[in-house]
Each structure stands twice: as structure tokens, then as C-alpha cells.
Amino acid sequence: MHITASKLVDALGERGYRITMARRAVCEVVAAAHDEHLSAADIYQRARETSGTRLDRSTVYRTLEALEDAGLLAHSHLGHGPSVYHLAEDAGHQHLICRNCGQTMTLPREEADLIADAIIASTGFVADLNHFAVSGLCADCAALDDI
Amino acid sequence: MHITASKLVDALGERGYRITMARRAVCEVVAAAHDEHLSAADIYQRARETSGTRLDRSTVYRTLEALEDAGLLAHSHLGHGPSVYHLAEDAGHQHLICRNCGQTMTLPREEADLIADAIIASTGFVADLNHFAVSGLCADCAALDDI
DNA sequence: ATGTGTGCAAAGCATTTGCAGCCAG
DNA sequence: CTGGCTGCAAATGCTTTGCACACAT
């Protein structure tokens, strides 16, 4: 099951954050977008559309920061573009982004966990895979071998 | 042995790039900085100091681009800051950056290769580890467990 | 009432681009 | 001599910040 917008809002409330229209709007968008890779700009645009409210980019950033602080949301850096946000519960996988075609895919959680375990065993470093993507060539582009 | 500035310059020449003062200056800095993580701003500053020449940021970026195009240089994204550049021959390891103390360390090449192999086996994706860092907590910060 | 959250505007930072002149080939 | 390369300046894209007012508590 996926977390609902009201759960996000409630969690913010419990953390001492005030519940406002702007925050509600951002929570709706974020909750509705499970699995999608939304940039701050995407969230801003959708939040404006769904809630006719007047809403500023900076408010979106501040709300996303609050959600991250509350441990409900996380952002990843997929490539050279803007950061993308996703629910914390959707985390744990590793993003793979093809430097040739730009396609992004994911490495399943179990695989990612194996890698994280290997890194811990060898260095003691507790890796938070999925914060940064891994760049490379997808199977299709690698097959072209003329990159 | 490490590559020298003149080898970098020569390689640019062979690729059809013209040899200029600006390019020489950038090559000196890059060749002298093996193993260091230099941002474009660092390179700009050092290149200005070492070669009294007048030099512009944009020229540095353009030269770095030329060096990358020639396969001599690569850049990595270590964190939220600027990209860092290093000689292509120094690549192959995976950067680990602690989200708490900001310290960066490296995962040895053999470990990184094992991971890359696991990713290929499971998805066909040819990972270029070391382009993006892995975020997480270093052993020391993880031990604090109050993050 | 009080101070947190808001929109607005402007700054910030890393990087890119347009352009007219310069210099390597 | 000719086009690639330069410095300069300005623009870009994403994100952050300062501020006075608004509103959730």
C-alpha cells in the first residue's frame, strides 16, 4: 500500500510543522506520484494545477525540505539535470542512467542491498545507494559499441 | 607513472585541437593534480596563478570539455557541489561521500569492478561507477548512530 | 497574539552561449 | 589567411535567501 497525502500531512503536523494549503498541495502531488521521478519543477507545476492556489517555487522547495526532514521524502540525483523526489518508502533501489540514450532504469532492491553489504564489509561505509544514480550504458546502447 | 602535461597537450594536438596558452595552462594543472579532486573553479584559479596569462572561466570549461572529448579526462559528481575532474587514467574507483561529515573516500578498483560485474550480470547495464559518488555514512559517523 | 509560513523579488552558484577580435595552423 | 580559440559579458537552469505580510496555532 502507498502512503496517502493525509498521512504525509499528519506526519508533518506531528513534527510541529503547520498545516497550510501549500503544504497540502505538495503532499497531494507527492503522494499521487509514487514511483515517478518528479523534479521540484514538476511538483510545482502539478501542485499549481491541482490546487488552484497561488503557490511559489520557493514554497515548494521549503515544503520538500520539510518532508525530507521528517523522513517522508528523499531526493536523488539522476544525472546532470534537477534532483528528483520520491517517497522515502519507495527508496532502496539503485537508479541506472544511460549516458547515451538518457533512459533510466532501476536495479532491484535485493541487488542494491547486496552491493551495499559488500561496501560495508569492505570499508565500514554505510551506503545510501539510490541517492546518486549510476551512470553507464544500458544493454541496448552498449550493444551498439560505437559510442 | 603519471601522464605529463605535454602528453596531454600532444594528445589534444593529434585530435586536431589547436595548442594555445590557455590549453597548455589547463593541462599543466590537470597533470599536476593526479588523485586530487579539482573543480572547474580550482583549475581556473590554479591555471591563472601558474601561468600569468589572462584566462577566462569559459575557456577552462571549453578546454576541460576538449580533454574529456579526447578521453584524457573525466569528471565526477561527488555531491551537491560542483563537478570534479580527474585524469581518465585515475578513474575506475568508486567515490564514497559521507552525508554527515562530508568526507570522501574511495572504494578500491577491485571492489568497484565486482559491483560493476554484478550489475552487468543482472541487468546488462554497463556501469561507469565513479561518475557519480555513492552517498552514505562513513564508519565513524555511522557509529554515532544519532544522525 | 505570536511567530511560522507565504509570495515576491532578487541573489547565488555552476555552467553555457553569443559575439567580435585574435592567433595557431 | 582563415577558421578555431579566446576573453568578455550576458544568459541559463536550479536552488536559496531576504523581506514584509498573512495565517495557523
Side-chain angles (χ1 to χ4, degrees), chain A residues 32-83:
Chain A
H34 56 272
D35 285 358
E36 263 184 291
H37 293 144
L38 295 184
S39 67
D42 294 332
I43 295 170
Y44 166 69
Q45 198 173 325
R46 293 196 190 181
R48 289 204 128 198
E49 286 165 5
T50 55
S51 78
T53 339
R54 190 167 49 196
L55 175 66
D56 192 72
R57 267 174 246 278
S58 58
T59 304
V60 171
Y61 280 106
R62 288 187 275 230
T63 300
L64 294 173
E65 193 185 1
L67 286 166
E68 292 204 71
D69 176 55
L72 302 161
L73 192 74
H75 72 273
S76 312
H77 302 275
L78 290 194
H80 293 192
S83 310

mmCIF file of all heavy atoms in Angstrom, chain A residues 32-83:
data_model
loop_
_atom_site.group_PDB
_atom_site.id
_atom_site.type_symbol
_atom_site.label_atom_id
_atom_site.label_comp_id
_atom_site.label_asym_id
_atom_site.label_seq_id
_atom_site.Cartn_x
_atom_site.Cartn_y
_atom_site.Cartn_z
ATOM 1 N N ALA A 32 0.567 11.162 -4.808
ATOM 2 C CA ALA A 32 -0.025 10.619 -6.031
ATOM 3 C C ALA A 32 1.035 10.108 -6.998
ATOM 4 O O ALA A 32 0.720 9.378 -7.933
ATOM 5 C CB ALA A 32 -0.880 11.692 -6.708
ATOM 6 N N ALA A 33 2.265 10.480 -6.764
ATOM 7 C CA ALA A 33 3.297 10.209 -7.767
ATOM 8 C C ALA A 33 4.238 9.085 -7.380
ATOM 9 O O ALA A 33 5.371 9.067 -7.808
ATOM 10 C CB ALA A 33 4.112 11.474 -8.019
ATOM 11 N N HIS A 34 3.772 8.121 -6.597
ATOM 12 C CA HIS A 34 4.658 7.034 -6.192
ATOM 13 C C HIS A 34 5.317 6.437 -7.427
ATOM 14 O O HIS A 34 4.671 6.276 -8.455
ATOM 15 C CB HIS A 34 3.876 5.963 -5.439
ATOM 16 C CG HIS A 34 2.717 5.416 -6.207
ATOM 17 N ND1 HIS A 34 1.478 5.985 -6.168
ATOM 18 C CD2 HIS A 34 2.619 4.376 -7.051
ATOM 19 C CE1 HIS A 34 0.676 5.292 -6.953
ATOM 20 N NE2 HIS A 34 1.325 4.319 -7.507
ATOM 21 N N ASP A 35 6.605 6.152 -7.283
ATOM 22 C CA ASP A 35 7.397 5.535 -8.355
ATOM 23 C C ASP A 35 7.826 6.485 -9.458
ATOM 24 O O ASP A 35 8.712 6.166 -10.235
ATOM 25 C CB ASP A 35 6.658 4.357 -9.005
ATOM 26 C CG ASP A 35 6.669 3.138 -8.108
ATOM 27 O OD1 ASP A 35 7.269 3.205 -7.032
ATOM 28 O OD2 ASP A 35 6.086 2.110 -8.496
ATOM 29 N N GLU A 36 7.158 7.634 -9.547
ATOM 30 C CA GLU A 36 7.582 8.561 -10.586
ATOM 31 C C GLU A 36 8.779 9.350 -10.092
ATOM 32 O O GLU A 36 8.979 9.518 -8.905
ATOM 33 C CB GLU A 36 6.452 9.537 -10.912
ATOM 34 C CG GLU A 36 5.617 9.154 -12.102
ATOM 35 C CD GLU A 36 4.602 10.239 -12.390
ATOM 36 O OE1 GLU A 36 3.664 10.417 -11.582
ATOM 37 O OE2 GLU A 36 4.748 10.911 -13.414
ATOM 38 N N HIS A 37 9.554 9.853 -11.014
ATOM 39 C CA HIS A 37 10.695 10.684 -10.667
ATOM 40 C C HIS A 37 10.318 12.127 -10.923
ATOM 41 O O HIS A 37 10.444 12.619 -12.022
ATOM 42 C CB HIS A 37 11.900 10.317 -11.523
ATOM 43 C CG HIS A 37 12.440 8.951 -11.248
ATOM 44 N ND1 HIS A 37 12.958 8.148 -12.223
ATOM 45 C CD2 HIS A 37 12.545 8.261 -10.106
ATOM 46 C CE1 HIS A 37 13.361 7.013 -11.670
ATOM 47 N NE2 HIS A 37 13.117 7.052 -10.397
ATOM 48 N N LEU A 38 9.858 12.802 -9.894
ATOM 49 C CA LEU A 38 9.417 14.178 -10.077
ATOM 50 C C LEU A 38 10.478 15.168 -9.645
ATOM 51 O O LEU A 38 11.026 15.057 -8.555
ATOM 52 C CB LEU A 38 8.153 14.437 -9.260
ATOM 53 C CG LEU A 38 6.899 13.669 -9.667
ATOM 54 C CD1 LEU A 38 5.727 14.125 -8.812
ATOM 55 C CD2 LEU A 38 6.594 13.873 -11.136
ATOM 56 N N SER A 39 10.726 16.136 -10.502
ATOM 57 C CA SER A 39 11.626 17.220 -10.127
ATOM 58 C C SER A 39 10.824 18.253 -9.351
ATOM 59 O O SER A 39 9.595 18.236 -9.358
ATOM 60 C CB SER A 39 12.203 17.876 -11.377
ATOM 61 O OG SER A 39 11.172 18.531 -12.086
ATOM 62 N N ALA A 40 11.534 19.156 -8.695
ATOM 63 C CA ALA A 40 10.856 20.213 -7.956
ATOM 64 C C ALA A 40 9.950 21.001 -8.900
ATOM 65 O O ALA A 40 8.840 21.389 -8.532
ATOM 66 C CB ALA A 40 11.876 21.135 -7.290
ATOM 67 N N ALA A 41 10.413 21.214 -10.111
ATOM 68 C CA ALA A 41 9.629 21.965 -11.084
ATOM 69 C C ALA A 41 8.343 21.214 -11.439
ATOM 70 O O ALA A 41 7.273 21.817 -11.571
ATOM 71 C CB ALA A 41 10.451 22.214 -12.347
ATOM 72 N N ASP A 42 8.419 19.888 -11.586
ATOM 73 C CA ASP A 42 7.232 19.079 -11.864
ATOM 74 C C ASP A 42 6.232 19.226 -10.725
ATOM 75 O O ASP A 42 5.029 19.414 -10.950
ATOM 76 C CB ASP A 42 7.599 17.589 -11.956
ATOM 77 C CG ASP A 42 8.502 17.292 -13.148
ATOM 78 O OD1 ASP A 42 8.415 18.029 -14.144
ATOM 79 O OD2 ASP A 42 9.283 16.334 -13.053
ATOM 80 N N ILE A 43 6.743 19.109 -9.516
ATOM 81 C CA ILE A 43 5.878 19.164 -8.342
ATOM 82 C C ILE A 43 5.223 20.534 -8.267
ATOM 83 O O ILE A 43 4.017 20.647 -8.005
ATOM 84 C CB ILE A 43 6.696 18.854 -7.073
ATOM 85 C CG1 ILE A 43 7.199 17.410 -7.148
ATOM 86 C CG2 ILE A 43 5.864 19.078 -5.826
ATOM 87 C CD1 ILE A 43 8.206 17.047 -6.076
ATOM 88 N N TYR A 44 6.000 21.552 -8.510
ATOM 89 C CA TYR A 44 5.489 22.923 -8.506
ATOM 90 C C TYR A 44 4.327 23.057 -9.485
ATOM 91 O O TYR A 44 3.245 23.538 -9.135
ATOM 92 C CB TYR A 44 6.616 23.875 -8.885
ATOM 93 C CG TYR A 44 6.186 25.275 -9.234
ATOM 94 C CD1 TYR A 44 5.681 26.132 -8.264
ATOM 95 C CD2 TYR A 44 6.299 25.750 -10.539
ATOM 96 C CE1 TYR A 44 5.295 27.427 -8.581
ATOM 97 C CE2 TYR A 44 5.930 27.038 -10.863
ATOM 98 C CZ TYR A 44 5.430 27.868 -9.889
ATOM 99 O OH TYR A 44 5.051 29.136 -10.212
ATOM 100 N N GLN A 45 4.567 22.590 -10.695
ATOM 101 C CA GLN A 45 3.545 22.721 -11.741
ATOM 102 C C GLN A 45 2.280 21.945 -11.398
ATOM 103 O O GLN A 45 1.175 22.486 -11.469
ATOM 104 C CB GLN A 45 4.131 22.210 -13.051
ATOM 105 C CG GLN A 45 3.374 22.658 -14.275
ATOM 106 C CD GLN A 45 4.102 22.264 -15.561
ATOM 107 O OE1 GLN A 45 5.340 22.266 -15.589
ATOM 108 N NE2 GLN A 45 3.349 21.918 -16.593
ATOM 109 N N ARG A 46 2.437 20.684 -11.001
ATOM 110 C CA ARG A 46 1.265 19.870 -10.661
ATOM 111 C C ARG A 46 0.515 20.443 -9.470
ATOM 112 O O ARG A 46 -0.716 20.429 -9.444
ATOM 113 C CB ARG A 46 1.697 18.445 -10.338
ATOM 114 C CG ARG A 46 2.245 17.727 -11.543
ATOM 115 C CD ARG A 46 2.303 16.250 -11.311
ATOM 116 N NE ARG A 46 3.053 15.605 -12.392
ATOM 117 C CZ ARG A 46 3.267 14.314 -12.488
ATOM 118 N NH1 ARG A 46 2.805 13.499 -11.543
ATOM 119 N NH2 ARG A 46 3.926 13.802 -13.497
ATOM 120 N N ALA A 47 1.248 20.915 -8.492
ATOM 121 C CA ALA A 47 0.598 21.451 -7.289
ATOM 122 C C ALA A 47 -0.215 22.685 -7.639
ATOM 123 O O ALA A 47 -1.294 22.912 -7.103
ATOM 124 C CB ALA A 47 1.643 21.780 -6.225
ATOM 125 N N ARG A 48 0.283 23.479 -8.573
ATOM 126 C CA ARG A 48 -0.450 24.671 -9.002
ATOM 127 C C ARG A 48 -1.739 24.254 -9.706
ATOM 128 O O ARG A 48 -2.795 24.837 -9.502
ATOM 129 C CB ARG A 48 0.371 25.481 -10.001
ATOM 130 C CG ARG A 48 1.551 26.173 -9.435
ATOM 131 C CD ARG A 48 1.898 27.349 -10.316
ATOM 132 N NE ARG A 48 2.008 28.551 -9.504
ATOM 133 C CZ ARG A 48 1.955 29.785 -9.986
ATOM 134 N NH1 ARG A 48 1.771 29.991 -11.274
ATOM 135 N NH2 ARG A 48 2.068 30.817 -9.185
ATOM 136 N N GLU A 49 -1.595 23.245 -10.581
ATOM 137 C CA GLU A 49 -2.753 22.810 -11.361
ATOM 138 C C GLU A 49 -3.829 22.209 -10.459
ATOM 139 O O GLU A 49 -4.994 22.609 -10.522
ATOM 140 C CB GLU A 49 -2.326 21.776 -12.404
ATOM 141 C CG GLU A 49 -1.573 22.415 -13.575
ATOM 142 C CD GLU A 49 -0.838 21.386 -14.424
ATOM 143 O OE1 GLU A 49 -0.991 20.174 -14.157
ATOM 144 O OE2 GLU A 49 -0.094 21.784 -15.342
ATOM 145 N N THR A 50 -3.434 21.229 -9.661
ATOM 146 C CA THR A 50 -4.437 20.520 -8.858
ATOM 147 C C THR A 50 -5.107 21.417 -7.825
ATOM 148 O O THR A 50 -6.314 21.336 -7.632
ATOM 149 C CB THR A 50 -3.811 19.301 -8.147
ATOM 150 O OG1 THR A 50 -2.690 19.733 -7.384
ATOM 151 C CG2 THR A 50 -3.352 18.275 -9.148
ATOM 152 N N SER A 51 -4.346 22.269 -7.161
ATOM 153 C CA SER A 51 -4.946 23.192 -6.195
ATOM 154 C C SER A 51 -4.843 24.571 -6.780
ATOM 155 O O SER A 51 -3.776 25.122 -6.827
ATOM 156 C CB SER A 51 -4.142 23.173 -4.903
ATOM 157 O OG SER A 51 -2.962 23.938 -5.066
ATOM 158 N N GLY A 52 -5.898 25.121 -7.237
ATOM 159 C CA GLY A 52 -5.832 26.425 -7.888
ATOM 160 C C GLY A 52 -5.024 27.478 -7.129
ATOM 161 O O GLY A 52 -4.790 28.558 -7.641
ATOM 162 N N THR A 53 -4.597 27.131 -5.911
ATOM 163 C CA THR A 53 -3.892 28.104 -5.058
ATOM 164 C C THR A 53 -2.737 28.814 -5.749
ATOM 165 O O THR A 53 -2.105 28.263 -6.637
ATOM 166 C CB THR A 53 -3.274 27.398 -3.837
ATOM 167 O OG1 THR A 53 -3.942 26.159 -3.636
ATOM 168 C CG2 THR A 53 -3.338 28.277 -2.622
ATOM 169 N N ARG A 54 -2.428 29.985 -5.267
ATOM 170 C CA ARG A 54 -1.243 30.685 -5.707
ATOM 171 C C ARG A 54 -0.120 30.026 -4.904
ATOM 172 O O ARG A 54 -0.265 29.771 -3.705
ATOM 173 C CB ARG A 54 -1.349 32.167 -5.372
ATOM 174 C CG ARG A 54 -0.273 32.996 -5.997
ATOM 175 C CD ARG A 54 -0.641 34.466 -5.871
ATOM 176 N NE ARG A 54 -1.043 34.789 -4.496
ATOM 177 C CZ ARG A 54 -1.697 35.886 -4.146
ATOM 178 N NH1 ARG A 54 -2.077 36.736 -5.057
ATOM 179 N NH2 ARG A 54 -1.992 36.116 -2.896
ATOM 180 N N LEU A 55 0.936 29.728 -5.555
ATOM 181 C CA LEU A 55 1.985 28.926 -4.917
ATOM 182 C C LEU A 55 3.303 29.298 -5.559
ATOM 183 O O LEU A 55 3.368 29.488 -6.761
ATOM 184 C CB LEU A 55 1.675 27.437 -5.148
ATOM 185 C CG LEU A 55 2.697 26.417 -4.682
ATOM 186 C CD1 LEU A 55 2.795 26.428 -3.168
ATOM 187 C CD2 LEU A 55 2.304 25.032 -5.168
ATOM 188 N N ASP A 56 4.325 29.405 -4.730
ATOM 189 C CA ASP A 56 5.623 29.815 -5.263
ATOM 190 C C ASP A 56 6.619 28.667 -5.262
ATOM 191 O O ASP A 56 6.549 27.764 -4.432
ATOM 192 C CB ASP A 56 6.181 30.976 -4.444
ATOM 193 C CG ASP A 56 7.371 31.621 -5.133
ATOM 194 O OD1 ASP A 56 7.155 32.315 -6.145
ATOM 195 O OD2 ASP A 56 8.510 31.408 -4.685
ATOM 196 N N ARG A 57 7.543 28.736 -6.224
ATOM 197 C CA ARG A 57 8.601 27.735 -6.286
ATOM 198 C C ARG A 57 9.302 27.587 -4.943
ATOM 199 O O ARG A 57 9.551 26.469 -4.475
ATOM 200 C CB ARG A 57 9.653 28.170 -7.303
ATOM 201 C CG ARG A 57 9.466 27.634 -8.684
ATOM 202 C CD ARG A 57 10.505 28.259 -9.622
ATOM 203 N NE ARG A 57 9.844 29.098 -10.607
ATOM 204 C CZ ARG A 57 9.277 28.635 -11.720
ATOM 205 N NH1 ARG A 57 9.315 27.355 -11.977
ATOM 206 N NH2 ARG A 57 8.681 29.443 -12.559
ATOM 207 N N SER A 58 9.640 28.705 -4.332
ATOM 208 C CA SER A 58 10.405 28.629 -3.084
ATOM 209 C C SER A 58 9.623 27.892 -2.013
ATOM 210 O O SER A 58 10.197 27.156 -1.215
ATOM 211 C CB SER A 58 10.789 30.019 -2.598
ATOM 212 O OG SER A 58 9.646 30.808 -2.403
ATOM 213 N N THR A 59 8.324 28.069 -1.998
ATOM 214 C CA THR A 59 7.497 27.358 -1.021
ATOM 215 C C THR A 59 7.549 25.860 -1.276
ATOM 216 O O THR A 59 7.583 25.063 -0.334
ATOM 217 C CB THR A 59 6.044 27.851 -1.098
ATOM 218 O OG1 THR A 59 6.043 29.255 -0.899
ATOM 219 C CG2 THR A 59 5.189 27.191 -0.034
ATOM 220 N N VAL A 60 7.550 25.488 -2.549
ATOM 221 C CA VAL A 60 7.665 24.073 -2.879
ATOM 222 C C VAL A 60 8.983 23.520 -2.345
ATOM 223 O O VAL A 60 9.007 22.488 -1.674
ATOM 224 C CB VAL A 60 7.571 23.849 -4.405
ATOM 225 C CG1 VAL A 60 7.906 22.408 -4.764
ATOM 226 C CG2 VAL A 60 6.187 24.222 -4.901
ATOM 227 N N TYR A 61 10.059 24.235 -2.597
ATOM 228 C CA TYR A 61 11.355 23.767 -2.097
ATOM 229 C C TYR A 61 11.342 23.653 -0.582
ATOM 230 O O TYR A 61 11.840 22.692 0.000
ATOM 231 C CB TYR A 61 12.485 24.710 -2.522
ATOM 232 C CG TYR A 61 12.948 24.477 -3.943
ATOM 233 C CD1 TYR A 61 12.617 25.361 -4.969
ATOM 234 C CD2 TYR A 61 13.722 23.366 -4.259
ATOM 235 C CE1 TYR A 61 13.052 25.149 -6.269
ATOM 236 C CE2 TYR A 61 14.146 23.144 -5.556
ATOM 237 C CZ TYR A 61 13.816 24.043 -6.562
ATOM 238 O OH TYR A 61 14.236 23.828 -7.850
ATOM 239 N N ARG A 62 10.738 24.646 0.072
ATOM 240 C CA ARG A 62 10.723 24.613 1.535
ATOM 241 C C ARG A 62 9.885 23.456 2.058
ATOM 242 O O ARG A 62 10.215 22.830 3.063
ATOM 243 C CB ARG A 62 10.243 25.963 2.081
ATOM 244 C CG ARG A 62 11.311 27.047 1.883
ATOM 245 C CD ARG A 62 10.972 28.376 2.548
ATOM 246 N NE ARG A 62 10.131 29.222 1.709
ATOM 247 C CZ ARG A 62 10.393 30.506 1.441
ATOM 248 N NH1 ARG A 62 11.463 31.093 1.945
ATOM 249 N NH2 ARG A 62 9.583 31.201 0.693
ATOM 250 N N THR A 63 8.806 23.169 1.365
ATOM 251 C CA THR A 63 7.958 22.054 1.802
ATOM 252 C C THR A 63 8.654 20.723 1.554
ATOM 253 O O THR A 63 8.602 19.817 2.392
ATOM 254 C CB THR A 63 6.608 22.088 1.063
ATOM 255 O OG1 THR A 63 5.970 23.328 1.361
ATOM 256 C CG2 THR A 63 5.725 20.941 1.510
ATOM 257 N N LEU A 64 9.317 20.604 0.423
ATOM 258 C CA LEU A 64 10.044 19.369 0.150
ATOM 259 C C LEU A 64 11.121 19.159 1.209
ATOM 260 O O LEU A 64 11.351 18.039 1.677
ATOM 261 C CB LEU A 64 10.678 19.430 -1.244
ATOM 262 C CG LEU A 64 9.681 19.471 -2.408
ATOM 263 C CD1 LEU A 64 10.393 19.696 -3.729
ATOM 264 C CD2 LEU A 64 8.848 18.199 -2.459
ATOM 265 N N GLU A 65 11.740 20.260 1.608
ATOM 266 C CA GLU A 65 12.772 20.174 2.641
ATOM 267 C C GLU A 65 12.155 19.678 3.952
ATOM 268 O O GLU A 65 12.724 18.823 4.634
ATOM 269 C CB GLU A 65 13.390 21.557 2.831
ATOM 270 C CG GLU A 65 14.661 21.544 3.646
ATOM 271 C CD GLU A 65 15.160 22.969 3.909
ATOM 272 O OE1 GLU A 65 14.492 23.936 3.466
ATOM 273 O OE2 GLU A 65 16.211 23.100 4.560
ATOM 274 N N ALA A 66 10.978 20.205 4.265
ATOM 275 C CA ALA A 66 10.294 19.783 5.493
ATOM 276 C C ALA A 66 9.971 18.296 5.441
ATOM 277 O O ALA A 66 10.170 17.570 6.417
ATOM 278 C CB ALA A 66 9.020 20.603 5.681
ATOM 279 N N LEU A 67 9.488 17.831 4.296
ATOM 280 C CA LEU A 67 9.146 16.418 4.153
ATOM 281 C C LEU A 67 10.393 15.540 4.263
ATOM 282 O O LEU A 67 10.336 14.446 4.835
ATOM 283 C CB LEU A 67 8.438 16.177 2.811
ATOM 284 C CG LEU A 67 6.989 16.676 2.745
ATOM 285 C CD1 LEU A 67 6.496 16.718 1.299
ATOM 286 C CD2 LEU A 67 6.072 15.782 3.573
ATOM 287 N N GLU A 68 11.492 16.022 3.729
ATOM 288 C CA GLU A 68 12.727 15.248 3.836
ATOM 289 C C GLU A 68 13.184 15.218 5.288
ATOM 290 O O GLU A 68 13.624 14.182 5.788
ATOM 291 C CB GLU A 68 13.821 15.867 2.971
ATOM 292 C CG GLU A 68 13.552 15.745 1.496
ATOM 293 C CD GLU A 68 14.840 15.801 0.676
ATOM 294 O OE1 GLU A 68 15.625 14.828 0.719
ATOM 295 O OE2 GLU A 68 15.069 16.822 0.013
ATOM 296 N N ASP A 69 13.066 16.374 5.921
ATOM 297 C CA ASP A 69 13.475 16.464 7.324
ATOM 298 C C ASP A 69 12.660 15.505 8.173
ATOM 299 O O ASP A 69 13.157 14.904 9.126
ATOM 300 C CB ASP A 69 13.276 17.907 7.798
ATOM 301 C CG ASP A 69 13.594 18.055 9.273
ATOM 302 O OD1 ASP A 69 14.716 17.677 9.656
ATOM 303 O OD2 ASP A 69 12.728 18.534 10.015
ATOM 304 N N ALA A 70 11.396 15.339 7.810
ATOM 305 C CA ALA A 70 10.511 14.439 8.551
ATOM 306 C C ALA A 70 10.739 12.986 8.156
ATOM 307 O O ALA A 70 10.091 12.079 8.678
ATOM 308 C CB ALA A 70 9.062 14.839 8.320
ATOM 309 N N GLY A 71 11.649 12.772 7.215
ATOM 310 C CA GLY A 71 11.976 11.406 6.818
ATOM 311 C C GLY A 71 10.937 10.763 5.915
ATOM 312 O O GLY A 71 10.925 9.544 5.743
ATOM 313 N N LEU A 72 10.058 11.565 5.335
ATOM 314 C CA LEU A 72 8.984 11.023 4.499
ATOM 315 C C LEU A 72 9.370 11.008 3.029
ATOM 316 O O LEU A 72 8.792 10.272 2.234
ATOM 317 C CB LEU A 72 7.725 11.880 4.666
ATOM 318 C CG LEU A 72 7.204 11.983 6.098
ATOM 319 C CD1 LEU A 72 6.285 13.176 6.249
ATOM 320 C CD2 LEU A 72 6.505 10.695 6.490
ATOM 321 N N LEU A 73 10.308 11.857 2.688
ATOM 322 C CA LEU A 73 10.653 12.060 1.290
ATOM 323 C C LEU A 73 12.174 12.011 1.142
ATOM 324 O O LEU A 73 12.899 12.276 2.094
ATOM 325 C CB LEU A 73 10.138 13.440 0.859
ATOM 326 C CG LEU A 73 10.139 13.768 -0.621
ATOM 327 C CD1 LEU A 73 9.012 13.021 -1.320
ATOM 328 C CD2 LEU A 73 9.960 15.268 -0.830
ATOM 329 N N ALA A 74 12.618 11.660 -0.049
ATOM 330 C CA ALA A 74 14.052 11.675 -0.323
ATOM 331 C C ALA A 74 14.246 12.175 -1.741
ATOM 332 O O ALA A 74 13.329 12.079 -2.559
ATOM 333 C CB ALA A 74 14.633 10.279 -0.177
ATOM 334 N N HIS A 75 15.391 12.711 -2.008
ATOM 335 C CA HIS A 75 15.662 13.123 -3.382
ATOM 336 C C HIS A 75 16.893 12.392 -3.886
ATOM 337 O O HIS A 75 17.754 11.985 -3.106
ATOM 338 C CB HIS A 75 15.833 14.641 -3.484
ATOM 339 C CG HIS A 75 17.115 15.147 -2.898
ATOM 340 N ND1 HIS A 75 17.250 15.474 -1.568
ATOM 341 C CD2 HIS A 75 18.321 15.379 -3.463
ATOM 342 C CE1 HIS A 75 18.481 15.882 -1.342
ATOM 343 N NE2 HIS A 75 19.168 15.835 -2.461
ATOM 344 N N SER A 76 16.948 12.224 -5.190
ATOM 345 C CA SER A 76 18.086 11.569 -5.819
ATOM 346 C C SER A 76 18.606 12.460 -6.933
ATOM 347 O O SER A 76 17.871 13.273 -7.491
ATOM 348 C CB SER A 76 17.665 10.238 -6.441
ATOM 349 O OG SER A 76 16.902 9.475 -5.551
ATOM 350 N N HIS A 77 19.863 12.262 -7.245
ATOM 351 C CA HIS A 77 20.466 12.975 -8.370
ATOM 352 C C HIS A 77 20.631 11.973 -9.494
ATOM 353 O O HIS A 77 21.476 11.100 -9.425
ATOM 354 C CB HIS A 77 21.809 13.557 -7.962
ATOM 355 C CG HIS A 77 21.710 14.489 -6.809
ATOM 356 N ND1 HIS A 77 21.394 15.818 -6.963
ATOM 357 C CD2 HIS A 77 21.814 14.287 -5.484
ATOM 358 C CE1 HIS A 77 21.352 16.391 -5.776
ATOM 359 N NE2 HIS A 77 21.597 15.482 -4.849
ATOM 360 N N LEU A 78 19.820 12.116 -10.503
ATOM 361 C CA LEU A 78 19.852 11.117 -11.574
ATOM 362 C C LEU A 78 20.877 11.421 -12.634
ATOM 363 O O LEU A 78 21.398 10.539 -13.286
ATOM 364 C CB LEU A 78 18.484 10.992 -12.231
ATOM 365 C CG LEU A 78 17.404 10.352 -11.369
ATOM 366 C CD1 LEU A 78 16.220 9.982 -12.210
ATOM 367 C CD2 LEU A 78 17.944 9.127 -10.662
ATOM 368 N N GLY A 79 21.120 12.677 -12.855
ATOM 369 C CA GLY A 79 22.041 12.999 -13.922
ATOM 370 C C GLY A 79 22.431 14.451 -13.802
ATOM 371 O O GLY A 79 22.551 14.958 -12.700
ATOM 372 N N HIS A 80 22.608 15.111 -14.921
ATOM 373 C CA HIS A 80 23.051 16.491 -14.867
ATOM 374 C C HIS A 80 21.901 17.439 -14.620
ATOM 375 O O HIS A 80 22.093 18.598 -14.325
ATOM 376 C CB HIS A 80 23.808 16.849 -16.143
ATOM 377 C CG HIS A 80 25.097 16.103 -16.271
ATOM 378 N ND1 HIS A 80 26.059 16.410 -17.186
ATOM 379 C CD2 HIS A 80 25.589 15.059 -15.562
ATOM 380 C CE1 HIS A 80 27.090 15.584 -17.049
ATOM 381 N NE2 HIS A 80 26.822 14.753 -16.080
ATOM 382 N N GLY A 81 20.714 16.955 -14.703
ATOM 383 C CA GLY A 81 19.545 17.809 -14.524
ATOM 384 C C GLY A 81 19.175 18.017 -13.071
ATOM 385 O O GLY A 81 20.000 17.814 -12.181
ATOM 386 N N PRO A 82 17.952 18.444 -12.834
ATOM 387 C CA PRO A 82 17.469 18.712 -11.477
ATOM 388 C C PRO A 82 17.334 17.437 -10.651
ATOM 389 O O PRO A 82 17.217 16.344 -11.189
ATOM 390 C CB PRO A 82 16.106 19.352 -11.708
ATOM 391 C CG PRO A 82 15.683 18.902 -13.060
ATOM 392 C CD PRO A 82 16.933 18.739 -13.842
ATOM 393 N N SER A 83 17.322 17.600 -9.329
ATOM 394 C CA SER A 83 17.105 16.472 -8.423
ATOM 395 C C SER A 83 15.686 15.970 -8.605
ATOM 396 O O SER A 83 14.793 16.719 -8.982
ATOM 397 C CB SER A 83 17.250 16.911 -6.970
ATOM 398 O OG SER A 83 18.428 17.618 -6.783
#
